[in-house]
Amino acid sequence: MGTYVPEKVLTNSDLERMVDTSDDWIRCRTGIVERRVVEGDTATSDLAAAAAKKALEDAGINDSEIDLILVATSTPDMIFPSTACLVQSKLGINGCAAFDIQAACSGFVYGLTVASQFIESGMYKTVLLIGADAFTKHINWEDRNTCILFGDGAGAFVLHEVENGYGLLSSYLMADGRGADLLKIPAGGSAHPGSEYSVQNKLHFVQMNGNAVFKFAVRILHEAAIGALTKAGLTVGDIDYLIPHQANIRIIDAAMERLGIDRNKIILNLEKYGNTSTASIPLALYDLYNSGDLKRGDLLLFVGFGAGLTWGANIIRWV
Ligand code: UT7
């Protein structure tokens, strides 16, 4: 496992000088205190490659053993080639498959599910899965509804076969395209390619209906967690650690209360990183991994949600 966050810290106090907001409002309404932001021409593939290098070192494997590079991102460097191919080149890895997965902030939960299918089917032995996003590149720094929320980062995992009963035990994936308008970057794709009009109308920035996404998130965090638990034949009481997508502490609190899970089993990092999209679950998992508390046999529940709308959950027994 390996992670990377940019060095530049953007605090709530910094944001107070940019838009009409306050440190108090952001802390109380979101739980976020600071976030990391990329600078200059740093792109998602740079974050992803930096995290991947650490993961490869941590795994102690040879680059040639990687069969597939999978990057979950909704802020790719460009429309094509895929960020996975750019990461492959930056890592100097040759002779493997590479592609991106786009499921917005649910990308890591989707990506882990897809990666494990290749391993379970026997098609590949070793998959490098990376969740990476540079959302702050797509933020309208005059929009206080969105600019306070997002940060940048990446988390990478080297995945391979494990003994029965360990690793990914179940996945629950869901989407509802009727909610596509609630959270989007309208321009830059084939619907609205870059134009004078798209730039003038700020269509290359994140647009969000915060209240609607909030209500959706509280509802589906519960649904996804129960969905994955049921598939694995487990109950909430079996879970040792729950890692939710780190979007807003009030969303997490409300959903976790409904789920009836102990607060001390929930891993949080949004205070220091904000919403890092596909990187948020990996970054939080890395904190847990480094704390030394994680032990063989622990049951982990990951729950993600995001644009699309998409949502999902994974249950993992730590090896
Ligand atoms: O990965 C998924 C990504 N997205 C999410 O998870 C976002 C989910 N939504 C949210 O987290 C919340 O809806 C927000 C944090 C975006 C907004 O919080 P809220 O409690 O839903 O606030 P609100 O939009 O209902 O606004 C309440 C008030 C409004 O003022 P009035 O109309 O009551 O006078 C807003 O204009 O707060 C105002 N407001 C702010 N004030 C200070 C909205 N944003 C800000 C701000 N600073 N940054």
Side-chain angles (χ1 to χ4, degrees):
M1 194 189 309
T3 60
Y4 180 79
V5 288
E7 275 176 23
K8 188 178 175 195
V9 176
L10 186 73
T11 65
N12 290 350
S13 312
D14 294 330
L15 285 163
E16 279 177 351
R17 292 188 285 277
M18 296 161 69
V19 284
D20 180 15
T21 191
S22 69
D23 174 43
D24 189 51
W25 192 97
I26 303 171
R27 276 176 200 255
C28 294
R29 297 286 184 129
T30 69
I32 300 166
V33 176
E34 59 186 41
R35 66 289 286 146
R36 300 299 183 96
V37 296
V38 289
E39 293 180 276
D41 57 7
T42 303
T44 297
S45 67
D46 297 308
L47 307 180
K53 267 185 197 153
K54 293 184 191 168
L56 291 167
E57 275 168 32
D58 190 47
I61 63 155
N62 207 316
D63 292 358
S64 61
E65 292 174 56
I66 300 290
D67 299 309
L68 167 67
I69 300 173
L70 204 54
V71 175
T73 185
S74 38
T75 54
D77 288 29
M78 45 188 122
I79 292 181
F80 66 83
S82 70
T83 302
C85 287
L86 302 174
V87 170
Q88 184 191 34
S89 162
K90 283 179 181 167
L91 293 175
I93 295 178
N94 298 310
C96 73
F99 66 92
D100 288 359
I101 284 200
Q102 214 275 47
C105 300
S106 311
F108 183 73
V109 169
Y110 268 67
L112 187 57
T113 311
V114 172
S116 81
Q117 299 303 305
F118 281 106
I119 296 168
E120 280 177 33
S121 71
M123 183 161 174
Y124 294 135
K125 277 198 163 66
T126 310
V127 178
L128 174 61
L129 169 68
I130 310 164
D133 268 308
F135 252 78
T136 67
K137 288 263 176 140
H138 302 281
I139 289 296
N140 174 1
W141 294 105
E142 292 170 355
D143 176 13
R144 67 179 183 172
N145 185 41
T146 52
C147 76
I148 57 154
L149 293 174
F150 295 96
D152 305 323
F157 296 83
V158 177
L159 303 168
H160 57 87
E161 193 184 359
V162 289
E163 64 206 85
N164 245 344
Y166 286 83
L168 185 64
L169 302 187
S170 76
S171 287
Y172 176 92
L173 302 181
M174 212 44 83
D176 185 353
R178 290 172 300 178
D181 273 342
L182 298 179
L183 182 51
K184 62 183 179 183
I185 298 175
S190 56
H192 301 287
S195 65
E196 205 178 326
Y197 175 86
S198 67
V199 173
Q200 273 168 4
N201 289 281
K202 302 188 191 316
L203 299 182
H204 295 273
F205 295 128
V206 173
Q207 296 180 356
M208 181 179 70
N209 178 336
N211 286 313
V213 175
F214 191 102
K215 285 180 199 145
F216 146 77
V218 173
R219 181 171 53 80
I220 59 74
L221 271 180
H222 180 267
E223 176 202 303
I226 297 294
L229 283 166
T230 307
K231 278 189 164 186
L234 297 165
T235 64
V236 175
D238 296 318
I239 294 301
D240 295 294
Y241 297 105
L242 189 150
I243 305 186
H245 170 47
Q246 314 277 315
N248 185 319
I249 192 66
R250 290 186 299 131
I251 293 176
I252 296 170
D253 281 344
M256 297 311 129
E257 198 181 310
R258 259 186 92 192
L259 207 55
I261 189 161
D262 288 350
R263 191 79 163 58
N264 59 12
K265 289 185 174 178
I266 303 167
I267 308 300
L268 299 169
N269 70 359
L270 83 172
E271 190 177 321
K272 57 181 178 176
Y273 296 137
N275 179 348
T276 53
S277 190
T278 53
S280 86
I281 291 174
L283 286 172
L285 176 59
Y286 195 68
D287 284 350
L288 175 63
Y289 180 60
N290 272 339
S291 71
D293 291 339
L294 198 53
K295 51 185 194 313
R296 183 178 163 81
D298 277 347
L299 272 174
L300 305 175
L301 171 56
F302 303 155
V303 196
F305 62 89
L309 297 165
T310 55
W311 62 102
N314 308 123
I315 298 196
I316 287 99
R317 191 182 296 279
W318 197 252
V319 185

